[in-house]
mmCIF file of all heavy atoms in Angstrom:
data_model
loop_
_atom_site.group_PDB
_atom_site.id
_atom_site.type_symbol
_atom_site.label_atom_id
_atom_site.label_comp_id
_atom_site.label_asym_id
_atom_site.label_seq_id
_atom_site.Cartn_x
_atom_site.Cartn_y
_atom_site.Cartn_z
ATOM 1 N N THR A 1 0.858 -1.171 0.003
ATOM 2 C CA THR A 1 0.009 0.003 0.001
ATOM 3 C C THR A 1 0.908 1.229 -0.012
ATOM 4 O O THR A 1 1.807 1.359 0.818
ATOM 5 C CB THR A 1 -0.914 0.026 1.229
ATOM 6 O OG1 THR A 1 -1.757 -1.126 1.204
ATOM 7 C CG2 THR A 1 -1.773 1.287 1.241
ATOM 8 N N PHE A 2 0.603 2.163 -0.888
ATOM 9 C CA PHE A 2 1.362 3.431 -0.975
ATOM 10 C C PHE A 2 0.511 4.550 -0.421
ATOM 11 O O PHE A 2 -0.647 4.736 -0.731
ATOM 12 C CB PHE A 2 1.798 3.737 -2.400
ATOM 13 C CG PHE A 2 2.708 2.694 -2.978
ATOM 14 C CD1 PHE A 2 2.247 1.669 -3.759
ATOM 15 C CD2 PHE A 2 4.065 2.742 -2.650
ATOM 16 C CE1 PHE A 2 3.139 0.733 -4.294
ATOM 17 C CE2 PHE A 2 4.954 1.800 -3.146
ATOM 18 C CZ PHE A 2 4.485 0.794 -3.970
ATOM 19 N N VAL A 3 1.154 5.339 0.485
ATOM 20 C CA VAL A 3 0.490 6.504 1.080
ATOM 21 C C VAL A 3 1.272 7.722 0.642
ATOM 22 O O VAL A 3 2.522 7.778 0.748
ATOM 23 C CB VAL A 3 0.476 6.400 2.621
ATOM 24 C CG1 VAL A 3 -0.209 7.611 3.222
ATOM 25 C CG2 VAL A 3 -0.211 5.066 3.043
ATOM 26 N N PHE A 4 0.577 8.766 0.190
ATOM 27 C CA PHE A 4 1.292 9.972 -0.335
ATOM 28 C C PHE A 4 1.369 11.074 0.714
ATOM 29 O O PHE A 4 0.342 11.479 1.292
ATOM 30 C CB PHE A 4 0.530 10.482 -1.575
ATOM 31 C CG PHE A 4 0.730 9.657 -2.807
ATOM 32 C CD1 PHE A 4 0.006 8.484 -2.986
ATOM 33 C CD2 PHE A 4 1.701 10.005 -3.736
ATOM 34 C CE1 PHE A 4 0.221 7.678 -4.117
ATOM 35 C CE2 PHE A 4 1.914 9.188 -4.888
ATOM 36 C CZ PHE A 4 1.156 8.050 -5.034
ATOM 37 N N ASN A 5 2.559 11.566 0.913
ATOM 38 C CA ASN A 5 2.776 12.790 1.672
ATOM 39 C C ASN A 5 3.075 13.877 0.630
ATOM 40 O O ASN A 5 4.208 14.067 0.187
ATOM 41 C CB ASN A 5 3.964 12.637 2.621
ATOM 42 C CG ASN A 5 4.244 13.897 3.376
ATOM 43 O OD1 ASN A 5 3.606 14.966 3.157
ATOM 44 N ND2 ASN A 5 5.216 13.862 4.289
ATOM 45 N N HIS A 6 2.018 14.542 0.198
ATOM 46 C CA HIS A 6 2.174 15.561 -0.864
ATOM 47 C C HIS A 6 2.941 16.781 -0.409
ATOM 48 O O HIS A 6 3.480 17.562 -1.256
ATOM 49 C CB HIS A 6 0.791 15.964 -1.414
ATOM 50 C CG HIS A 6 0.076 14.816 -2.098
ATOM 51 N ND1 HIS A 6 0.466 14.372 -3.296
ATOM 52 C CD2 HIS A 6 -1.015 14.115 -1.679
ATOM 53 C CE1 HIS A 6 -0.373 13.350 -3.671
ATOM 54 N NE2 HIS A 6 -1.235 13.186 -2.726
ATOM 55 N N ASP A 7 3.034 16.988 0.891
ATOM 56 C CA ASP A 7 3.709 18.159 1.400
ATOM 57 C C ASP A 7 5.064 17.776 2.004
ATOM 58 O O ASP A 7 5.490 18.330 3.029
ATOM 59 C CB ASP A 7 2.823 18.803 2.501
ATOM 60 C CG ASP A 7 3.264 20.226 2.829
ATOM 61 O OD1 ASP A 7 3.889 20.882 1.970
ATOM 62 O OD2 ASP A 7 3.010 20.698 3.974
ATOM 63 N N TYR A 8 5.730 16.834 1.381
ATOM 64 C CA TYR A 8 6.987 16.322 1.904
ATOM 65 C C TYR A 8 8.079 17.382 1.981
ATOM 66 O O TYR A 8 9.006 17.257 2.804
ATOM 67 C CB TYR A 8 7.490 15.129 1.058
ATOM 68 C CG TYR A 8 7.812 15.477 -0.351
ATOM 69 C CD1 TYR A 8 9.105 15.936 -0.721
ATOM 70 C CD2 TYR A 8 6.885 15.401 -1.404
ATOM 71 C CE1 TYR A 8 9.408 16.254 -2.015
ATOM 72 C CE2 TYR A 8 7.201 15.714 -2.684
ATOM 73 C CZ TYR A 8 8.449 16.160 -3.006
ATOM 74 O OH TYR A 8 8.763 16.487 -4.301
ATOM 75 N N ILE A 9 8.033 18.421 1.196
ATOM 76 C CA ILE A 9 9.065 19.455 1.252
ATOM 77 C C ILE A 9 8.968 20.256 2.543
ATOM 78 O O ILE A 9 10.031 20.650 3.077
ATOM 79 C CB ILE A 9 8.920 20.446 0.004
ATOM 80 C CG1 ILE A 9 9.223 19.675 -1.255
ATOM 81 C CG2 ILE A 9 9.853 21.616 0.185
ATOM 82 C CD1 ILE A 9 9.015 20.505 -2.534
ATOM 83 N N ASN A 10 7.764 20.414 3.059
ATOM 84 C CA ASN A 10 7.573 21.246 4.253
ATOM 85 C C ASN A 10 7.359 20.498 5.528
ATOM 86 O O ASN A 10 7.199 21.084 6.610
ATOM 87 C CB ASN A 10 6.374 22.190 4.028
ATOM 88 C CG ASN A 10 6.566 23.095 2.791
ATOM 89 O OD1 ASN A 10 7.575 23.743 2.690
ATOM 90 N ND2 ASN A 10 5.555 23.078 1.910
ATOM 91 N N THR A 11 7.288 19.165 5.474
ATOM 92 C CA THR A 11 6.988 18.405 6.676
ATOM 93 C C THR A 11 8.164 17.478 7.054
ATOM 94 O O THR A 11 9.055 17.224 6.232
ATOM 95 C CB THR A 11 5.743 17.534 6.493
ATOM 96 O OG1 THR A 11 5.920 16.639 5.352
ATOM 97 C CG2 THR A 11 4.512 18.415 6.241
ATOM 98 N N LYS A 12 8.108 16.997 8.288
ATOM 99 C CA LYS A 12 9.116 16.064 8.761
ATOM 100 C C LYS A 12 8.560 14.651 8.841
ATOM 101 O O LYS A 12 7.379 14.392 8.422
ATOM 102 C CB LYS A 12 9.635 16.551 10.118
ATOM 103 C CG LYS A 12 10.390 17.881 10.046
ATOM 104 C CD LYS A 12 10.947 18.271 11.430
ATOM 105 C CE LYS A 12 11.854 19.472 11.325
ATOM 106 N NZ LYS A 12 11.083 20.694 10.962
ATOM 107 N N THR A 13 9.348 13.743 9.354
ATOM 108 C CA THR A 13 9.008 12.314 9.295
ATOM 109 C C THR A 13 7.706 11.970 10.059
ATOM 110 O O THR A 13 7.021 11.035 9.718
ATOM 111 C CB THR A 13 10.142 11.453 9.811
ATOM 112 O OG1 THR A 13 10.603 12.032 11.076
ATOM 113 C CG2 THR A 13 11.322 11.441 8.845
ATOM 114 N N ALA A 14 7.417 12.713 11.080
ATOM 115 C CA ALA A 14 6.215 12.450 11.884
ATOM 116 C C ALA A 14 4.969 12.622 11.045
ATOM 117 O O ALA A 14 3.993 11.898 11.239
ATOM 118 C CB ALA A 14 6.163 13.299 13.137
ATOM 119 N N ALA A 15 4.996 13.585 10.154
ATOM 120 C CA ALA A 15 3.840 13.787 9.259
ATOM 121 C C ALA A 15 3.611 12.580 8.376
ATOM 122 O O ALA A 15 2.479 12.145 8.139
ATOM 123 C CB ALA A 15 4.054 15.053 8.452
ATOM 124 N N SER A 16 4.714 12.034 7.842
ATOM 125 C CA SER A 16 4.586 10.850 6.985
ATOM 126 C C SER A 16 4.060 9.647 7.785
ATOM 127 O O SER A 16 3.144 8.935 7.328
ATOM 128 C CB SER A 16 5.956 10.487 6.387
ATOM 129 O OG SER A 16 6.340 11.450 5.424
ATOM 130 N N LEU A 17 4.600 9.441 8.953
ATOM 131 C CA LEU A 17 4.135 8.354 9.816
ATOM 132 C C LEU A 17 2.671 8.518 10.172
ATOM 133 O O LEU A 17 1.874 7.525 10.173
ATOM 134 C CB LEU A 17 4.987 8.250 11.081
ATOM 135 C CG LEU A 17 4.571 7.197 12.116
ATOM 136 C CD1 LEU A 17 4.533 5.830 11.467
ATOM 137 C CD2 LEU A 17 5.514 7.201 13.278
ATOM 138 N N SER A 18 2.250 9.738 10.481
ATOM 139 C CA SER A 18 0.867 10.016 10.845
ATOM 140 C C SER A 18 -0.092 9.642 9.687
ATOM 141 O O SER A 18 -1.198 9.174 9.908
ATOM 142 C CB SER A 18 0.699 11.442 11.251
ATOM 143 O OG SER A 18 1.470 11.746 12.434
ATOM 144 N N LEU A 19 0.358 9.953 8.467
ATOM 145 C CA LEU A 19 -0.458 9.598 7.312
ATOM 146 C C LEU A 19 -0.512 8.052 7.135
ATOM 147 O O LEU A 19 -1.564 7.485 6.851
ATOM 148 C CB LEU A 19 0.120 10.234 6.064
ATOM 149 C CG LEU A 19 0.018 11.720 5.916
ATOM 150 C CD1 LEU A 19 0.888 12.280 4.789
ATOM 151 C CD2 LEU A 19 -1.457 12.160 5.726
ATOM 152 N N GLY A 20 0.622 7.410 7.272
ATOM 153 C CA GLY A 20 0.669 5.964 7.105
ATOM 154 C C GLY A 20 -0.046 5.150 8.074
ATOM 155 O O GLY A 20 -0.501 3.994 7.800
ATOM 156 N N LYS A 21 -0.225 5.663 9.327
ATOM 157 C CA LYS A 21 -0.832 4.868 10.387
ATOM 158 C C LYS A 21 -2.348 4.853 10.395
ATOM 159 O O LYS A 21 -3.006 4.165 11.204
ATOM 160 C CB LYS A 21 -0.301 5.342 11.729
ATOM 161 C CG LYS A 21 -0.872 6.613 12.269
ATOM 162 C CD LYS A 21 -0.245 6.967 13.606
ATOM 163 C CE LYS A 21 -0.916 8.189 14.227
ATOM 164 N NZ LYS A 21 -2.296 7.938 14.709
ATOM 165 N N LYS A 22 -2.981 5.612 9.520
ATOM 166 C CA LYS A 22 -4.448 5.681 9.507
ATOM 167 C C LYS A 22 -5.041 4.319 9.197
ATOM 168 O O LYS A 22 -4.580 3.626 8.239
ATOM 169 C CB LYS A 22 -4.914 6.710 8.515
ATOM 170 C CG LYS A 22 -4.558 8.168 8.878
ATOM 171 C CD LYS A 22 -5.073 9.133 7.869
ATOM 172 C CE LYS A 22 -4.737 10.595 8.273
ATOM 173 N NZ LYS A 22 -5.237 11.571 7.257
ATOM 174 N N HIS A 23 -6.015 3.880 9.971
ATOM 175 C CA HIS A 23 -6.714 2.615 9.788
ATOM 176 C C HIS A 23 -5.777 1.433 9.817
ATOM 177 O O HIS A 23 -5.920 0.490 9.011
ATOM 178 C CB HIS A 23 -7.537 2.681 8.464
ATOM 179 C CG HIS A 23 -8.349 3.914 8.271
ATOM 180 N ND1 HIS A 23 -9.424 4.217 9.128
ATOM 181 C CD2 HIS A 23 -8.257 4.938 7.402
ATOM 182 C CE1 HIS A 23 -9.949 5.352 8.731
ATOM 183 N NE2 HIS A 23 -9.259 5.836 7.688
ATOM 184 N N SER A 24 -4.786 1.494 10.663
ATOM 185 C CA SER A 24 -3.819 0.420 10.735
ATOM 186 C C SER A 24 -4.345 -0.771 11.598
ATOM 187 O O SER A 24 -5.392 -0.650 12.175
ATOM 188 C CB SER A 24 -2.532 0.918 11.374
ATOM 189 O OG SER A 24 -2.730 1.306 12.703
ATOM 190 N N ASN A 25 -3.566 -1.838 11.610
ATOM 191 C CA ASN A 25 -3.864 -2.952 12.470
ATOM 192 C C ASN A 25 -3.541 -2.612 13.926
ATOM 193 O O ASN A 25 -3.242 -1.465 14.249
ATOM 194 C CB ASN A 25 -3.096 -4.176 12.018
ATOM 195 C CG ASN A 25 -3.634 -4.806 10.726
ATOM 196 O OD1 ASN A 25 -4.869 -4.873 10.565
ATOM 197 N ND2 ASN A 25 -2.764 -5.220 9.842
ATOM 198 N N GLU A 26 -3.584 -3.629 14.806
ATOM 199 C CA GLU A 26 -3.442 -3.354 16.224
ATOM 200 C C GLU A 26 -2.136 -2.745 16.638
ATOM 201 O O GLU A 26 -2.042 -1.895 17.470
ATOM 202 C CB GLU A 26 -3.665 -4.650 17.001
ATOM 203 C CG GLU A 26 -5.034 -5.286 16.863
ATOM 204 C CD GLU A 26 -5.065 -6.654 17.438
ATOM 205 O OE1 GLU A 26 -5.306 -6.836 18.666
ATOM 206 O OE2 GLU A 26 -4.806 -7.670 16.666
ATOM 207 N N MET A 27 -1.073 -3.207 16.019
ATOM 208 C CA MET A 27 0.272 -2.719 16.381
ATOM 209 C C MET A 27 0.955 -2.132 15.145
ATOM 210 O O MET A 27 0.852 -2.687 14.052
ATOM 211 C CB MET A 27 1.124 -3.842 16.945
ATOM 212 C CG MET A 27 2.558 -3.433 17.263
ATOM 213 S SD MET A 27 3.466 -4.724 18.217
ATOM 214 C CE MET A 27 3.035 -4.209 19.891
ATOM 215 N N ILE A 28 1.666 -1.028 15.298
ATOM 216 C CA ILE A 28 2.381 -0.335 14.237
ATOM 217 C C ILE A 28 3.864 -0.625 14.426
ATOM 218 O O ILE A 28 4.423 -0.467 15.542
ATOM 219 C CB ILE A 28 2.139 1.151 14.276
ATOM 220 C CG1 ILE A 28 0.715 1.459 13.833
ATOM 221 C CG2 ILE A 28 3.144 1.901 13.413
ATOM 222 C CD1 ILE A 28 0.297 2.898 14.049
ATOM 223 N N ILE A 29 4.513 -1.071 13.375
ATOM 224 C CA ILE A 29 5.975 -1.163 13.303
ATOM 225 C C ILE A 29 6.404 -0.116 12.321
ATOM 226 O O ILE A 29 6.011 -0.102 11.154
ATOM 227 C CB ILE A 29 6.438 -2.547 12.874
ATOM 228 C CG1 ILE A 29 6.193 -3.605 13.973
ATOM 229 C CG2 ILE A 29 7.951 -2.537 12.607
ATOM 230 C CD1 ILE A 29 4.918 -4.274 13.923
ATOM 231 N N SER A 30 7.264 0.793 12.788
ATOM 232 C CA SER A 30 7.731 1.879 11.917
ATOM 233 C C SER A 30 9.216 1.838 11.705
ATOM 234 O O SER A 30 9.997 1.586 12.642
ATOM 235 C CB SER A 30 7.369 3.246 12.593
ATOM 236 O OG SER A 30 7.862 4.335 11.859
ATOM 237 N N LEU A 31 9.622 2.012 10.442
ATOM 238 C CA LEU A 31 11.049 2.135 10.146
ATOM 239 C C LEU A 31 11.226 3.131 9.023
ATOM 240 O O LEU A 31 10.307 3.492 8.286
ATOM 241 C CB LEU A 31 11.628 0.756 9.707
ATOM 242 C CG LEU A 31 10.923 0.010 8.575
ATOM 243 C CD1 LEU A 31 11.909 -0.480 7.557
ATOM 244 C CD2 LEU A 31 10.150 -1.173 9.123
ATOM 245 N N ASP A 32 12.458 3.647 8.915
ATOM 246 C CA ASP A 32 12.808 4.637 7.904
ATOM 247 C C ASP A 32 13.336 3.981 6.655
ATOM 248 O O ASP A 32 13.986 2.921 6.712
ATOM 249 C CB ASP A 32 13.845 5.605 8.480
ATOM 250 C CG ASP A 32 13.314 6.433 9.607
ATOM 251 O OD1 ASP A 32 12.093 6.672 9.631
ATOM 252 O OD2 ASP A 32 14.096 6.803 10.527
#
């Protein structure tokens, strides 16, 4: 699944993670 951070120039990694975690399963595993 691909999630788009259209404002990547002006945002930091937390913004990307916040977009990616929507409607996730019970546990989130995050990596860069």
Side-chain angles (χ1 to χ4, degrees):
T1 299
F2 296 98
V3 180
F4 285 81
N5 178 357
H6 294 289
D7 196 25
Y8 64 88
I9 294 177
N10 301 309
T11 59
K12 295 183 173 67
T13 48
S16 291
L17 176 57
S18 297
L19 291 168
K21 76 182 185 69
K22 292 181 179 179
H23 312 295
S24 65
N25 286 320
E26 296 169 88
M27 176 170 272
I28 290 170
I29 290 88
S30 176
L31 55 132
D32 295 329

